[in-house]
Every structure is written in C-alpha cells, then in structure tokens.
Amino acid sequence: MVKFSVIITTYNRAEFLKNALDSLIAQTENDWEAIVIDDGSIDNTTAIVQQYIHQEYPIKYYKQINSGDALAKNKGISLSSGEFITFLDSDDAYEMHHLENRKNILDQHKNIQLLHGGVKIIGDEFVPDIHNLNQQIHLSDCVIGATFFIRRDIISLVTGFKPMALGSDADLFERATMLGLNIMKTDIPTYIYNRVNENSITHQFAKSAKQ
C-alpha cells in the first residue's frame, strides 16, 4: 500500500493539467500514486496524461462520461489504494514539500483521520457563500476540499462526495465532523490554489449570482 493516493479530476483543462502533474512528480516525497479521472474532456487531456504514463510515473488514467466533479472524485477513490486519499485540482499545484510535510504531520499524529488546510491563494480570495450566492466570503472561512487527506478506512463512513452544485467538500467535512472523526487543520501553505482560472466552478457561480 502506498502512503498517498492523489485524485486528480479534470474536465477540459489540458492547458493547466501539465503544471499540476509536474508539481506532483517534483514532490520530495515519492510514496504516492495518482489517479486522473477525465470527466469527459474533448480537448487533448488524454495525450497529456499519456506522456507521463509512458515515462512510467505511478499514474492511472480513467475517462468517463461527464458526471460532475463529485462523482469523478468518488470514481477516483474507488480506483485508489493508498493509506490516505488526497486531491489535486487540475488547475492547481503542490509546493515541492507538500506531500512530505503532510506525511510528517500524519506520522506524528497517528490518530488523525482527516487532515486539511494550508493553502497559498493565487488570485481572488473570495468565493460565493454556499448558503447565499449573492454574498462573498473569504477562503480563510472555508473548508477547501483539495487540501483533504482522508484515511482510507473512514471513506465508507462518510460515504464519499455527494453530487451538489456547490459545496460538496464542505458537505463531506460536515458529515465527518458529525461522526466525531479526529480532524486536524494545518496552516502550512503548501497547496497552491489557483483562483485566476475564470472557468472554475466557484467563478461560474459568482458570475451567475450577479446576473
């Protein structure tokens, strides 16, 4: 069993995906596998991922009919084998010590079942409030699902991600909290959250709320 399964869901983001994958293979911690779930892309996503697979990096690729981010993540989880499941959005990136740092935290705190937090935000730091799309809240007040490190043996307890227009990460986190799981937050900003991409889900919701 590898330490980390990195789930990367993507949909027509070929122009960003290479940067995400490059940041993954540059990690100082190499005890990982990656599962790329292509949610029905019609760009050259397949060709980009195949370049890394041909170089024998531990990356699996699965293409499905467009089903939405939540179901794509669940599919990635079902294909994974790591002790901890984590995520990398296809337009984001890791600092080179991201996995190493999280491994150190998890090794020092064996009882942690869900670790989260620690982002460097590039661009807009505000997102729509899932309870009121006409309001904006700062990302520091949000749970950012891409930073999750979830112990494999609790995935069945939280039953994965539910298909929702917005907020599936927060919903999973709320269910984990209600179950009384051991949750820890770190503020070490090694996850690079790209808020410049205008095609992100939260940007699309912000635009629709203003119309």
Side-chain angles (χ1 to χ4, degrees), residues 150-163:
I150 308 172
R151 189 179 293 276
R152 169 167 297 282
D153 56 16
I154 72 157
I155 285 293
S156 61
L157 295 178
V158 296
T159 63
F161 294 90
K162 294 182 178 180

Side-chain angles (χ1 to χ4, degrees), residues 94-123:
Y94 289 162
E95 295 280 4
M96 65 184 299
H97 298 292
H98 179 67
L99 294 181
E100 179 184 7
N101 176 268
R102 298 314 189 260
K103 182 180 180 181
N104 289 338
I105 293 174
L106 293 166
D107 286 347
Q108 291 168 16
H109 303 273
K110 298 289 188 180
N111 65 328
I112 296 175
Q113 295 171 299
L114 194 163
L115 175 66
H116 71 104
V119 297
K120 177 181 180 182
I121 303 167
I122 307 298

